[in-house]
Amino acid sequence: MEGIDIAHIRSQFPILNRTVWNKPLVYLDSAATSFTPQCVVDEITRVYTTCKANVHRGVHSLSQEATDLQEATRECVREFINASSTQEIIFTRGTTEAINLVSSSYGRLLENGDEIIVTTMEHHANIVPWQLLGSRKRIILRVVPIKKDGTLDLEAYQSLFNERTKLVAVCHVSNVLGTVNPIKDIIKEAHQYNVPVLVDGAQAISHIKVDVQDLDADFYAFSAHKMYGPTGVGVLYGKKHLLKMMPPYQGGGEMIGTVDFKKTTYAELPFKFEAGTPDFVGIAAFKKAIEFMQSIGIENIAAYEHELLAYATAEMEKIPNMRIFGTAPQKSGVVSFLIGNEHHYDLGMLLDKLGVEVRTGHHCAQPLMHALSIEGTVRASFAAYNTREEIDVFIAALKRVSAMLG
Ligand code: PMP
């Protein structure tokens, strides 16, 4: 495909050369975590071996260098998602912590009887933090149902708003169905009622061009490890005026102005929300991951993954008793499926023996599983380093497994 030099991309991921059960590895689990190119690994090594000193705490040269690296990543993230200011970019441990930050902090501004709109297709990370809030006060979750094809029922969504609605928390892309939600329209609708929207962007950020200002998102959360980056790093984007009125999330070093037993003041944004020593090595390396994606072009990645998805789906549909969950017109590179009534674990274990790594289970989306009346699925997901040849191996493996299970 034009714009994608797949051999060059693959050459940057040494892990692709390994085998599983003596078979060449076919990794189709990038929705859980993506592989990491050598440039990111090299940067981690470089920081550890040349300038590992704590950030924002020292006047000495190493600390300054480490701080500059961290802040350069913040600027890189700002530009990547087109935020208006680095004050709106908060480093977290990942999407989960970013959402917990909003639920703990913004949640303290809510009152008994207030309502939050979520959807049936949310990951547990965008359900449980809101339920935890409800254990401290009476917060009601209103749930947008899904249609047969795995799209959101937007008419039902519109009907859920009332004067008690205080937040909409919705994923940009479903980690199970692959549905790309019409997030701009969802946000526009909420804003008519002056309700802010938190977008769980974990499955979108490395597959779709995200422009937080164009979307008019109030909060946007994502994880570096799903975007070719290191583990333990994530981002919460938040509009400045909202972050300003929110109380701190955690207390400790870095997040303060002055501390006294009588009165403590807090640091300016974004540091108000960054208590303690961050994973500054990971944050520094995260910049390399973003640059890796930019070197290919996120639109090129999206188009390429879309080709892989279309090819895989067409081939899968030829397999008898194939049940694909999620057939939305706008889908990202995720296919969830079952074959007949075979258990997802059996399918996943047998595929593994053939070198094909797929995810099985409820994918941290049990309410969605309940809505689909299933316990779990097998999920194949694609990234920029996957190939049509790998899809052929996957399809051949599926046919073999299907025949084995009868
Ligand atoms: N939301 C969605 C849609 C996800 O797919 C995931 C990761 N599986 C998360 C949230 C949580 O991300 P993390 O574990 O990196 O915090």
Side-chain angles (χ1 to χ4, degrees), residues 31-32 94-97 99 123 125 171 173-175 200 202-203 223 225-226 379:
T95 310
T96 303
E97 192 182 41
I99 298 173
H123 187 280
C171 60
V173 172
S174 159
N175 66 317
D200 171 353
Q203 295 296 343
S223 304
H225 73 93
K226 292 187 200 283
R379 181 187 72 186

Short mmCIF file of all heavy atoms in Angstrom, two decimals, residues 31-32 94-97 99 123 125 171 173-175 200 202-203 223 225-226 379, ligand 1:
data_model
loop_
_atom_site.label_atom_id
_atom_site.label_comp_id
_atom_site.label_asym_id
_atom_site.label_seq_id
_atom_site.Cartn_x
_atom_site.Cartn_y
_atom_site.Cartn_z
N ALA A 31 -4.58 -4.45 20.35
CA ALA A 31 -5.56 -3.65 21.10
C ALA A 31 -5.30 -3.77 22.59
O ALA A 31 -5.66 -2.88 23.37
CB ALA A 31 -6.98 -4.09 20.76
N ALA A 32 -4.68 -4.88 23.01
CA ALA A 32 -4.34 -5.04 24.43
C ALA A 32 -3.08 -4.25 24.73
O ALA A 32 -3.02 -3.49 25.70
CB ALA A 32 -4.15 -6.51 24.77
N GLY A 94 -1.88 5.73 32.81
CA GLY A 94 -2.56 5.16 31.66
C GLY A 94 -3.98 5.69 31.58
O GLY A 94 -4.37 6.58 32.34
N THR A 95 -4.74 5.11 30.67
CA THR A 95 -6.14 5.52 30.51
C THR A 95 -6.92 5.33 31.81
O THR A 95 -7.70 6.19 32.22
CB THR A 95 -6.81 4.65 29.42
OG1 THR A 95 -5.99 4.66 28.26
CG2 THR A 95 -8.19 5.15 29.07
N THR A 96 -6.68 4.19 32.44
CA THR A 96 -7.43 3.87 33.67
C THR A 96 -7.20 4.95 34.72
O THR A 96 -8.16 5.45 35.33
CB THR A 96 -6.96 2.51 34.23
OG1 THR A 96 -7.16 1.52 33.21
CG2 THR A 96 -7.72 2.11 35.47
N GLU A 97 -5.94 5.33 34.92
CA GLU A 97 -5.69 6.35 35.93
C GLU A 97 -6.25 7.71 35.50
O GLU A 97 -6.74 8.49 36.32
CB GLU A 97 -4.21 6.48 36.28
CG GLU A 97 -4.07 7.35 37.52
CD GLU A 97 -2.64 7.61 37.96
OE1 GLU A 97 -1.78 7.84 37.10
OE2 GLU A 97 -2.41 7.61 39.18
N ILE A 99 -8.95 8.27 33.82
CA ILE A 99 -10.40 8.29 34.08
C ILE A 99 -10.65 8.36 35.59
O ILE A 99 -11.53 9.09 36.06
CB ILE A 99 -11.10 7.08 33.42
CG1 ILE A 99 -10.92 7.15 31.91
CG2 ILE A 99 -12.59 7.06 33.79
CD1 ILE A 99 -11.42 5.93 31.14
N HIS A 123 -15.43 -0.05 28.35
CA HIS A 123 -14.45 -0.87 29.08
C HIS A 123 -14.71 -0.65 30.58
O HIS A 123 -15.19 0.43 30.98
CB HIS A 123 -13.06 -0.35 28.70
CG HIS A 123 -11.91 -1.15 29.20
ND1 HIS A 123 -11.44 -1.03 30.49
CD2 HIS A 123 -11.11 -2.05 28.59
CE1 HIS A 123 -10.40 -1.83 30.64
NE2 HIS A 123 -10.17 -2.46 29.50
N ALA A 125 -12.85 0.22 32.74
CA ALA A 125 -12.14 1.44 33.18
C ALA A 125 -13.00 2.68 33.04
O ALA A 125 -12.71 3.71 33.66
CB ALA A 125 -10.85 1.63 32.37
N CYS A 171 -16.52 5.85 25.04
CA CYS A 171 -15.29 5.50 24.31
C CYS A 171 -15.36 6.03 22.89
O CYS A 171 -16.43 6.11 22.29
CB CYS A 171 -15.08 3.99 24.31
SG CYS A 171 -16.39 3.02 23.55
N VAL A 173 -13.54 4.51 20.44
CA VAL A 173 -13.60 3.24 19.69
C VAL A 173 -13.80 2.11 20.69
O VAL A 173 -13.11 2.07 21.73
CB VAL A 173 -12.29 3.01 18.91
CG1 VAL A 173 -12.26 1.61 18.29
CG2 VAL A 173 -12.10 4.06 17.81
N SER A 174 -14.72 1.20 20.39
CA SER A 174 -14.94 0.05 21.29
C SER A 174 -13.82 -0.97 21.17
O SER A 174 -13.46 -1.36 20.05
CB SER A 174 -16.28 -0.62 20.94
OG SER A 174 -16.29 -1.95 21.42
N ASN A 175 -13.32 -1.41 22.30
CA ASN A 175 -12.21 -2.38 22.28
C ASN A 175 -12.69 -3.78 21.92
O ASN A 175 -11.87 -4.66 21.68
CB ASN A 175 -11.48 -2.42 23.64
CG ASN A 175 -12.35 -2.95 24.76
OD1 ASN A 175 -13.51 -2.61 24.87
ND2 ASN A 175 -11.79 -3.80 25.59
N ASP A 200 -12.94 8.19 26.30
CA ASP A 200 -11.93 7.15 26.51
C ASP A 200 -11.34 6.87 25.13
O ASP A 200 -11.96 6.20 24.30
CB ASP A 200 -12.61 5.92 27.11
CG ASP A 200 -11.68 4.71 27.15
OD1 ASP A 200 -10.56 4.79 26.59
OD2 ASP A 200 -12.08 3.69 27.73
N ALA A 202 -8.55 5.21 24.43
CA ALA A 202 -7.52 4.16 24.47
C ALA A 202 -7.40 3.41 23.14
O ALA A 202 -6.29 3.09 22.71
CB ALA A 202 -7.82 3.17 25.60
N GLN A 203 -8.54 3.14 22.50
CA GLN A 203 -8.50 2.34 21.26
C GLN A 203 -8.54 3.20 20.00
O GLN A 203 -8.61 2.66 18.89
CB GLN A 203 -9.67 1.35 21.24
CG GLN A 203 -9.61 0.29 22.31
CD GLN A 203 -8.40 -0.64 22.16
OE1 GLN A 203 -7.78 -0.72 21.10
NE2 GLN A 203 -8.06 -1.34 23.23
N SER A 223 -3.49 5.74 26.63
CA SER A 223 -2.32 5.05 27.20
C SER A 223 -1.21 4.96 26.17
O SER A 223 -1.46 4.57 25.02
CB SER A 223 -2.69 3.61 27.58
OG SER A 223 -3.78 3.57 28.46
N HIS A 225 1.14 2.70 26.06
CA HIS A 225 1.52 1.32 25.68
C HIS A 225 0.70 0.78 24.53
O HIS A 225 1.05 -0.24 23.94
CB HIS A 225 1.45 0.38 26.89
CG HIS A 225 0.06 0.04 27.33
ND1 HIS A 225 -0.61 -1.07 26.88
CD2 HIS A 225 -0.81 0.69 28.15
CE1 HIS A 225 -1.82 -1.11 27.44
NE2 HIS A 225 -1.96 -0.05 28.21
N LYS A 226 -0.42 1.44 24.23
CA LYS A 226 -1.22 1.01 23.07
C LYS A 226 -0.84 1.81 21.83
O LYS A 226 -1.48 1.70 20.79
CB LYS A 226 -2.71 1.18 23.36
CG LYS A 226 -3.25 0.24 24.43
CD LYS A 226 -4.75 0.38 24.52
CE LYS A 226 -5.31 -0.13 25.81
NZ LYS A 226 -5.41 -1.58 25.91
N ARG A 379 -10.73 -12.15 20.12
CA ARG A 379 -10.54 -10.85 19.46
C ARG A 379 -9.20 -10.80 18.75
O ARG A 379 -8.16 -11.04 19.36
CB ARG A 379 -10.61 -9.73 20.50
CG ARG A 379 -10.46 -8.34 19.89
CD ARG A 379 -10.35 -7.27 20.95
NE ARG A 379 -9.07 -7.32 21.64
CZ ARG A 379 -8.74 -6.56 22.69
NH1 ARG A 379 -9.62 -5.72 23.19
NH2 ARG A 379 -7.55 -6.66 23.26
N1 PMP B 1 -10.45 1.77 27.73
C1 PMP B 1 -10.39 0.96 26.65
C2 PMP B 1 -11.38 1.13 25.55
C3 PMP B 1 -9.38 0.00 26.57
O1 PMP B 1 -9.31 -0.81 25.52
C4 PMP B 1 -8.45 -0.11 27.63
C5 PMP B 1 -7.33 -1.14 27.59
N2 PMP B 1 -7.74 -2.43 27.38
C6 PMP B 1 -8.57 0.76 28.72
C7 PMP B 1 -9.57 1.68 28.72
C8 PMP B 1 -7.62 0.70 29.87
O2 PMP B 1 -6.35 1.06 29.46
P1 PMP B 1 -5.11 0.89 30.46
O3 PMP B 1 -5.17 -0.51 30.95
O4 PMP B 1 -3.92 1.16 29.58
O5 PMP B 1 -5.27 1.89 31.54
#
